[in-house]
Amino acid sequence: MLVKRIFQGYYNSLIKGKDTLRSIELAIDYRCQATCHKCYSANLGTHFPNANYVNKPMMTVDEIRRTVDQAMDLGLIHVNITGGEPTLRNDLAEIVEACRPREIMVSLVTNALSLSREKLKTLSELGLNLLQISLDSADAKTHDELRGVPGCYDKVMQTAAWAKEFGINLCFTTVLSTESTSNGSETRKLLEIAERENAYLLICDSASVGGWEDQGEKVMTREERDETLFELMKHPLTRHHNMYNFRGSIGCPASHEKVYITSHGDVTPCNLVHDSFGNVLSTPLFDILAEMRKDPLWSQTHDTCPRYLEEEFATRGGVPI
């Protein structure tokens, strides 16, 4: 089933020249126990004034199921469940099941604080494919300080051990920035942990959104980012979202193959671009994607993050670099 869907995606893209929705970043809860200063989603309420993330109800399991069903018709092969902290949802197991993990890949992003061995075992039995655990530093004290939670690093490592016990693929997730705690040399130390734990390291770009809105100095220039990432990508365990697409070449997947959906159903091209093109609770996902792909910026394919295209991005839902 999955292999067939993957081949169909490549056929649609390479042969028919047709965009195929490959992946959804699905936020299900913006609550979080940590106080990370760089959180991408820290101010989504500001960008979506009609979607107050404190008071507005989150998408229900049935609403998530209907959204995933629509995405399956558009070629979906992957759902990444994220937040905030998604494990704070009491119905997380039902949500994972609604994402159809027996048919496609389903991953979960977490800070590990609320995961127990029993909960993770249940998720593995449902078919959870990949666990992405946020890791800010190879130094336990620094990681805990950046997360604002004592003992967070130890819980990360304990959860990593559980993931391996239950046969769940493991990935650590970190942000590459100009800060001394998340620059290239510090990221290389995280790769040593990935080697030790038999895990991947997913490197995420820094952005002037959320906790870092109006703090462009935290964001690497395109040259700095490309040079640093080029060296880090030489390691076989390094991953970056630009390396995956049906087009057969490195490039930004936003709008063409990948979208971000907030916990209230707003659809944006990317979790770093808070620019909604519609809401799945009122508009079919097909129509939202069609509207997004008509946009002058998002109708184009880009070999790098469009946030580096200052003129085009100047009026978008983020601060241009």
Side-chain angles (χ1 to χ4, degrees):
M1 175 69 174
L2 177 59
V3 173
K4 181 180 179 181
R5 295 180 70 84
I6 293 173
F7 275 114
Q8 186 65 49
Y10 279 112
Y11 176 77
N12 288 342
S13 181
L14 296 176
I15 306 301
K16 300 178 70 175
K18 176 183 175 183
D19 285 335
T20 300
L21 182 63
R22 172 177 52 82
S23 179
I24 285 177
E25 295 274 349
L26 179 65
I28 63 172
D29 197 333
Y30 287 125
R31 295 175 298 168
C32 189
Q33 322 93 315
T35 56
C36 309
H37 67 307
K38 61 180 178 293
C39 178
Y40 294 155
S41 61
N43 61 350
L44 277 175
T46 300
H47 288 282
F48 299 115
N50 297 319
N52 187 302
Y53 68 89
V54 175
N55 299 317
K56 188 174 181 179
M58 295 176 285
M59 291 176 70
T60 66
V61 174
D62 285 340
E63 289 167 341
I64 290 171
R65 181 179 292 109
R66 287 194 291 270
T67 299
V68 171
D69 288 349
Q70 291 180 57
M72 291 288 283
D73 292 337
L74 299 173
L76 189 71
I77 64 169
H78 173 232
V79 177
N80 189 37
I81 301 172
T82 184
E85 176 49 46
T87 63
L88 293 178
R89 287 278 296 251
N90 293 328
D91 53 0
L92 177 60
E94 290 81 1
I95 291 173
V96 169
E97 194 168 23
C99 291
R100 299 167 69 164
R102 301 298 182 188
E103 302 170 69
I104 62 174
M105 294 179 286
V106 177
S107 54
L108 176 69
V109 181
T110 182
N111 58 29
L113 291 169
S114 293
L115 269 179
S116 64
R117 182 179 181 278
E118 293 71 24
K119 185 181 292 186
L120 194 56
K121 184 175 186 293
T122 297
L123 297 179
S124 72
E125 292 170 347
L126 288 171
L128 183 70
N129 178 267
L130 173 68
L131 189 68
Q132 295 185 22
I133 310 179
S134 301
L135 186 59
D136 291 333
S137 176
D139 177 71
K141 183 175 181 293
T142 302
H143 176 80
D144 292 356
E145 288 175 349
L146 290 170
R147 293 269 144 180
V149 182
C152 186
Y153 181 91
D154 291 340
K155 187 61 188 291
V156 166
M157 294 306 156
Q158 176 62 79
T159 304
W162 291 335
K164 290 188 288 185
E165 177 185 350
F166 298 129
I168 302 174
N169 294 311
L170 179 63
C171 176
F172 295 114
T173 304
T174 196
V175 174
L176 184 65
S177 82
T178 61
E179 288 196 336
S180 60
T181 54
S182 54
N183 59 23
S185 61
E186 290 301 308
T187 303
R188 289 183 184 88
K189 296 177 184 177
L190 295 179
L191 279 168
E192 294 176 6
I193 294 179
E195 288 179 342
R196 185 187 74 202
E197 299 296 329
N198 192 27
Y200 297 110
L201 179 68
L202 176 64
I203 299 176
C204 302
D205 292 331
S206 50
S208 298
V209 296
W212 278 350
E213 188 169 40
D214 299 322
Q215 297 187 58
E217 72 277 4
K218 302 293 181 69
V219 183
M220 287 183 168
T221 65
R222 178 177 179 177
E223 292 72 22
E224 290 172 331
R225 178 262 207 179
D226 288 353
E227 181 180 355
T228 305
L229 191 60
F230 177 78
E231 291 301 319
L232 292 169
M233 291 297 292
K234 292 178 179 178
H235 196 290
L237 297 178
T238 303
R239 297 292 182 270
H240 187 268
H241 70 91
N242 276 9
M243 67 189 293
Y244 299 109
N245 60 66
F246 287 137
R247 300 193 302 272
S249 60
I250 293 174
C252 174
S255 82
H256 299 279
E257 297 187 12
K258 187 176 182 180
V259 293
Y260 174 73
I261 303 179
T262 73
S263 65
H264 320 296
D266 292 292
V267 183
T268 82
C270 170
N271 65 331
L272 303 182
V273 180
H274 301 162
D275 188 5
S276 178
F277 281 82
N279 191 292
V280 292
L281 302 185
S282 57
T283 306
L285 182 58
F286 177 88
D287 293 339
I288 296 173
L289 285 176
E291 190 66 26
M292 186 183 297
R293 291 166 181 169
K294 291 178 186 175
D295 182 271
L297 177 62
W298 301 110
S299 63
Q300 305 174 52
T301 57
H302 303 283
D303 62 358
T304 189
C305 176
R307 291 178 300 108
Y308 288 106
L309 307 174
E310 295 193 25
E311 291 183 7
E312 294 91 337
F313 198 68
T315 61
R316 303 290 160 171
V319 179
I321 298 168

